Amino acid sequence: RHHKPSNQAVVTVRDRSGGRRDVYLGAYDSSESKAEYARILQAEISLGQGEHGRGLRVDLLFQPSRG
């Protein structure tokens, strides 16, 4: 999602105990923030958080580029 005050992309992830944590990814809609989002998503899946859709809760942070 877009954190407008800082113009940063931010994603909220949950830990195994259900706690939430915001992770700032870089400038909103930048290639850097998209790469960081992909890295975090892959790490969550690799750690088993996303197994069968359980435990993986990542908010959408940006829309795909239109062009």
Side-chain angles (χ1 to χ4, degrees):
R1 69 182 182 276
H2 188 192
H3 183 258
K4 290 180 184 179
S6 66
N7 197 36
Q8 295 276 314
V10 62
V11 63
T12 301
V13 296
R14 289 191 182 200
D15 60 27
R16 290 178 187 242
S17 66
R20 293 181 182 188
R21 180 172 60 98
D22 284 344
V23 179
Y24 289 84
L25 308 170
Y28 180 75
D29 202 29
S30 68
S31 57
E32 175 189 73
S33 67
K34 291 176 184 181
E36 185 64 4
Y37 175 76
R39 187 192 68 76
I40 288 171
L41 184 61
Q42 186 58 48
E44 290 287 309
I45 292 168
S46 295
L47 292 171
Q49 297 290 318
E51 212 170 278
H52 307 294
R54 295 182 327 214
L56 180 63
R57 297 181 180 121
V58 180
D59 294 341
L60 182 65
L61 64 129
F62 45 67
Q63 298 297 318
S65 295
R66 304 198 198 295

